[in-house]
Amino acid sequence: MFTSLSLSLFSANFFTSSLSTMEGKLISIPFLFTFFTLSISVSSVSLQYQTLTLRSLPEPQSLSWATQDSNDFQPLNSENTLAVQLHHVDLITPYTSLFNTTPHALFKLRLQRDAVRAKVLSNLAEAAAKDFSSSVISGLAQGSGEYFTRIGIGTPPKYAYMVLDTGSDVVWIQCLPCRQCYNQSDPVFDPSKSSSFTGLSCDSPLCRRLDSPGCNNKNKCLYQVSYGDGSFTVGEFSTETLTFRKTHVSDIAFGCGHDNEGLFIGAAGLLGLGKGKLSFPGQAGSRFGNKFSYCLVDRTGSPKPSYLIFGETAVTRNTIFTPLLTNQKLHTFYYVELTGISVGGTRVPGITPELFKLGADGTGGVIVDSGTSVTRLTRRAYVALRDAFSLGTKNLKRAPNYSLFDTCYDLSGKTEVKVPTLVLHFKDADVALPASNYLIPVSSEGRFCFGFAGTASGLSIIGNIQQQGFRVVFDVAGSRLGFAPRGCN
């Protein structure tokens, strides 16, 4: 009924204002008649709600990967399929040991690095649209991604933490000898002890694929990856074998970093999952049908791990697909077409496809990103969405703003609440979000906030909070991206 009340009041104010600005005597009956007609038609529409079971922020945990190297989990691995576990950075002991490990402190830090990442992605898209060319700028803000896995590098494999990132391409790890290396939880990789390590020459095709390749006096190919906060990694561009449990993937081009600086939170390096040719899917995708997917579980309510799967098994039967779009100026990101958003079963009038259009010059558009937490929408779209959601939650007690969130509620003392449904309308795919994907805890005292944010940038980002519980399928072979509800079961 909130929609009816809002529209009726708006219409009344509009017509009253119109009458007051007109000159001379006017008969007001036609205007009143129009008002009542509108009120009656809208009042028949009621918002659709769903129940949100309230959970607090998760307590910090210690995660042991001791059993991971033994490859004891093998339900999906085969010659054409591989699977590895994913864990959120907040569960990685090397990360939590660096900071105050209260739930509130970890979440606040998550939002801080998220803001930097979103800015980096937006700047990268804008720079590409202007034909800007320099060293590769990764989408991995502050060097600290959201999800980690543990894979083997070299022969015999040496296992290490790797950050997963769909917003960047180049795969890299820290290597000996280190001119400058940050602290990581595992020993730094020594390429001299790997029988499968091969340095690339400056004239190799793989070296020429780098945006800004370099060359040393020994004709060895050099790479450089720069980050939005000034962090970087520099070293030899080489090939190596990566091991995902018992599956070995050989001849993967990667950066062997000898000069690395930044806050990389214990990880040895990064596994780039972007759409470019030098990402891991770009290089090895043909061996696994050019398909991969991940599921990200809700950390506040599930002890289950998340999984990253390459191969035909990555696609489940209940997946709904939307076409992937191509940005000719920037090939790293996975662009999709967002046509609108519904709140409470009704499309928000102010959110139109034009707000998310990918321009011919490479600006705008919508990307799906594993490393951004909070979904960012262009400002006009966000304001319309926020206002529609606020109308449907007038019965909930408001709370002060928190960090980047401007719509928060005090739900202390409650175990569950009713909130309006929310559906993201992509081309050919309507994705209905669980309530826990958009009304999220920000404290241990019962404060929850609407989990979207606005951005002045033309680039919109679908973040991993909104992806929780879905299996997100990247079917590059079919040029489509899919969402499978309950895909982590």
Side-chain angles (χ1 to χ4, degrees):
M1 299 303 295
F2 298 115
T3 304
S4 173
L5 176 60
S6 172
L7 288 176
S8 298
L9 289 176
F10 174 82
S11 301
N13 291 337
F14 172 80
F15 286 107
T16 301
S17 174
S18 298
L19 285 170
S20 64
T21 58
M22 293 186 178
E23 299 178 358
K25 295 181 179 180
L26 295 174
I27 299 175
S28 59
I29 293 177
F31 293 90
L32 291 174
F33 176 77
T34 304
F35 162 68
F36 283 122
T37 301
L38 178 61
S39 176
I40 292 171
S41 63
V42 177
S43 65
S44 63
V45 179
S46 60
L47 292 181
Q48 297 174 4
Y49 284 80
Q50 61 178 324
T51 300
L52 170 64
T53 300
L54 303 182
R55 301 186 181 97
S56 185
L57 289 172
E59 292 292 331
Q61 303 175 41
S62 294
L63 176 67
S64 173
W65 289 70
T67 60
Q68 298 294 310
D69 301 352
S70 64
N71 301 310
D72 58 346
F73 172 73
Q74 291 291 331
L76 294 173
N77 286 27
S78 66
E79 182 178 353
N80 298 316
T81 302
L82 60 86
V84 289
Q85 289 189 9
L86 306 181
H87 287 275
H88 193 272
V89 63
D90 289 356
L91 300 181
I92 305 297
T93 302
Y95 176 77
T96 57
S97 63
L98 293 176
F99 302 101
N100 181 352
T101 54
T102 66
H104 181 265
L106 286 175
F107 186 73
K108 190 171 183 179
L109 188 65
R110 182 184 189 186
L111 294 181
Q112 289 173 352
R113 68 175 182 263
D114 205 51
V116 177
R117 180 184 176 87
K119 183 177 180 181
V120 170
L121 296 183
S122 297
N123 289 344
L124 178 57
E126 291 176 3
K130 297 175 182 176
D131 293 325
F132 177 83
S133 178
S134 66
S135 58
V136 178
I137 303 174
S138 172
L140 188 70
Q142 296 185 329
S144 54
E146 285 286 286
Y147 288 88
F148 284 58
T149 192
R150 193 166 173 82
I151 63 175
I153 300 102
T155 306
K158 300 298 181 181
Y159 283 81
Y161 295 111
M162 297 288 281
V163 176
L164 288 102
D165 185 17
T166 59
S168 58
D169 290 329
V170 177
V171 180
W172 64 267
I173 61 168
Q174 293 199 113
C175 284
L176 294 176
C178 268
R179 288 188 293 272
Q180 179 171 304
C181 281
Y182 59 85
N183 292 329
Q184 64 178 63
S185 60
D186 297 288
V188 176
F189 179 69
D190 186 351
S192 68
K193 295 182 179 180
S194 171
S195 62
S196 51
F197 178 86
T198 304
L200 293 170
S201 65
C202 299
D203 56 355
S204 68
L206 285 172
C207 184
R208 290 196 294 267
R209 288 185 182 179
L210 289 167
D211 285 356
S212 300
C215 192
N216 64 14
N217 55 12
K218 296 181 180 179
N219 197 37
K220 294 292 186 181
C221 180
L222 302 179
Y223 80 99
Q224 175 176 335
V225 179
S226 301
Y227 295 88
D229 68 336
S231 303
F232 60 84
T233 173
V234 179
E236 289 184 45
F237 204 50
S238 316
T239 62
E240 185 55 284
T241 295
L242 304 184
T243 300
F244 297 77
R245 301 189 181 275
K246 290 183 178 179
T247 302
H248 306 291
V249 186
S250 60
D251 300 322
I252 297 298
F254 84 118
C256 193
H258 301 296
D259 190 357
N260 318 285
E261 182 176 317
L263 186 62
F264 292 94
I265 320 300
L270 178 145
L271 185 68
L273 298 178
K275 199 164 174 277
K277 293 181 178 180
L278 286 177
S279 71
F280 179 75
Q283 296 186 63
S286 60
R287 310 180 204 186
F288 306 104
N290 285 305
K291 299 177 179 69
F292 74 94
S293 67
Y294 56 69
C295 66
L296 307 175
V297 298
D298 180 358
R299 295 179 304 114
T300 65
S302 175
K304 297 178 182 179
S306 302
Y307 291 99
L308 170 71
I309 300 174
F310 292 88
E312 294 298 331
T313 313
V315 183
T316 58
R317 293 181 179 179
N318 62 334
T319 305
I320 54 175
F321 286 99
T322 185
L324 280 170
L325 305 180
T326 299
N327 185 344
Q328 297 295 344
K329 300 287 186 177
L330 186 62
H331 297 285
T332 299
F333 298 157
Y334 293 95
Y335 284 88
V336 292
E337 184 177 347
L338 183 63
T339 61
I341 303 176
S342 289
V343 172
T346 302
R347 288 219 181 202
V348 180
I351 301 181
T352 62
E354 288 71 28
L355 296 179
F356 307 113
K357 186 176 179 59
L358 175 60
D361 61 352
T363 59
V366 178
I367 65 171
V368 175
D369 181 44
S370 68
T372 301
S373 292
V374 179
T375 290
R376 265 77 171 182
L377 302 176
T378 55
R379 187 67 189 172
R380 283 176 57 192
Y382 170 71
V383 170
L385 174 62
R386 176 200 64 194
D387 292 350
F389 184 79
S390 297
L391 285 172
T393 52
K394 284 185 176 293
N395 60 319
L396 301 181
K397 182 181 178 181
R398 291 297 292 265
N401 297 348
Y402 181 87
S403 184
L404 54 84
F405 300 124
D406 62 7
T407 305
C408 298
Y409 303 89
D410 179 1
L411 304 181
S412 56
K414 298 179 181 294
T415 57
E416 62 181 34
V417 294
K418 295 288 186 180
V419 294
T421 57
L422 196 153
V423 179
L424 301 177
H425 299 290
F426 298 97
K427 182 178 180 181
D428 301 332
D430 296 334
V431 178
L433 300 183
S436 58
N437 286 28
Y438 55 89
L439 192 58
I440 61 175
V442 299
S443 76
S444 300
E445 293 76 40
R447 193 190 324 186
F448 284 68
C449 294
F450 186 52
F452 287 76
T455 175
S457 166
L459 180 69
S460 294
I461 306 170
I462 306 299
N464 61 51
I465 289 177
Q466 282 65 41
Q467 298 174 44
Q468 286 176 172
F470 292 90
R471 175 158 297 283
V472 184
V473 180
F474 297 79
D475 181 2
V476 180
S479 191
R480 57 184 187 167
L481 186 145
F483 299 89
R486 300 173 298 281
C488 296
N489 293 337

